[in-house]
Amino acid sequence: MKILRINMSNLQVMEDNKDQYQRLGGRALTSRIVHDEVPPTAHPLGPYNKLIFANGLLTGSNASSADRYSIGAKSPLTGGIKESNAGGISGLKLGRLGIRALIFEGVRDDFKIIYLSKDKIAFDDASPILGKDLSEAADWLREKYGKHIAIWLIGIAGEQKMNLAAITGQDKDGYPTRFNGRGGLGAVAGSKGIKAIVLDDQGVDRSKPKDNERFKQAMKQYHSWLMETPGTAKIFPELGTSSLVRTTNSLGALPTRNFSTGSFEQYEQISGETLRETILERGGEGSTTHACMPGCIIRCSNVFVDKAGKRITSPLEYENIGLLGSNLGIGNLDDIAKINRLCNELGIDTIETGGALGVLMSQNVIPFGDVDRVIQALQEIKTGGFLGRIIGGGAEIVGKLYGAYRVPTVKGQAMPAYDPRAIKGLGVTYSTSPMGADHTAGQTVRAQIDHHSPIGQVKISLEAQQTAPIFDATGLCFFSGGAIAGRWDLIAELITAYTGEPYTGEQLLELGKETLRIEHEFNRKAGFTKAHDRLPEYFYHEINEASQTVFDVPQEEVESIGVEGYGRYHQF
């Protein structure tokens, strides 16, 4: 697998052969390159930052739920290291072209479409799709380059280099709805003049494992684990991530009206069960069980449709429901889907957008529950209105401009849909992750622990944070974690059989720890200290009435895995 460097300033391409990158994939690779090559004090939108697209070690292998990829850079939102992970087919197509990673360097003022095929790399003018909705731009690209392609694409928010700008890839049906949303990486792409990347694998043979028989045996065992585990065999295929609405509401953790409490009086109207019933009742183009990646057994995605059965958006996830629904006082799935689709068309992170809108609502700029005003505000991103630019800065910028005290961010990034006073392990993750407030950096909601108690939360968060990079490095979906259950030797066997390079389960565990270590090291050199490893002040003293708790995990424990503590207490 090749690693290509593309300098966007002069449009020069060269192949990278650095030995230290050859056994890495996904987040392990993006973070290593950022750590090694990006000056920690560099401006995120300047010429010294780099934007890396990197496949997981198993991406393209045909193992279920293993076609994910990572995008990494220094974040314009947090000012620290960033990795954002997604599924779909874009990583798969990159792998079929024999490319493990793309490293983009330099900056430019105009926008290009980077076309990659087995025979050539071309830089085409992006003017015809500038300013267009993402779906329209994606259709134009498919018409020009062929229906068989895959793409990465930024929207108008990325063109304007907004902090909440995302990068989108395609699902298996060709829709540009698989988002690398967190951290403003779409703005980094915009700074480098990358409007779209077209991946054309026509005429390329499907990649085959180096040891096919060994791979088939390991894959058979792995797939049997997925089918034997209730979460991956039944819950996710039926309800997807929206199954969490009832769970978090019962824990008092469902963000409601700018994280003022953790229980929403209309939660049942936006629950996973109601979502499923609505899709089934409407029929048409709707689907309650949908795979974003070809051959995925878990099928946690969905296609939400209007009353006539016409597609509105895909998928409607728990995070969308929590941040664009209950957090904004909106209790109707059709309204949430409408807002979600608009976010997709603009190319913006729904979590950061929901956080920013929640702060605006808390300041009475928009009334809670006012769907029309929310849509009007978001449309100002496209028209260039002042409110659109303010929202585009992210939740923390909104809070500063409006003098808000209650701003649910850590390291400048908006919190996902879990109140940290009610799920305290996630409060530790939000506080200490190098990524800022990010549930995927160390998810603890399914841990067998009293989530309201401060006891044991640092331990489970640390374990989750050390494990998360393994999924991101291998290309595995995190939702396979319940089936894998820490049995990393089999995953190492899959990687060995597929790549021909020997890996062990112990090496994968060390890879997760080392990735976290270098991310903390980068942030420390970028200026982060233990003062950044904290939740917003009000979470420590304002009671979440739904859970009757505050965040009370001792700060000295939290700091043991923060930017200053991790390297000192957790040498590997």
Side-chain angles (χ1 to χ4, degrees), residues 61-64 215-224 494:
S61 68
N62 210 34
S64 178
F215 182 80
K216 282 167 57 177
Q217 289 300 314
M219 187 165 70
K220 183 178 179 180
Q221 179 63 70
Y222 164 59
H223 286 181
S224 72
L494 272 172

Side-chain angles (χ1 to χ4, degrees), residues 4 19 55 57 76 99 106 109 142 167 176 218 277 279 289 315 329 335 353-354 374 376 403 443 475 499 545:
L4 295 182
D19 290 340
N55 272 349
L57 294 171
I99 300 171
D109 294 328
R142 284 158 60 85
I167 299 173
E277 291 167 7
I279 295 172
T289 179
D335 291 334
T353 302
V374 166
Q376 288 172 10
Q443 176 64 277
T499 66
E545 295 296 339

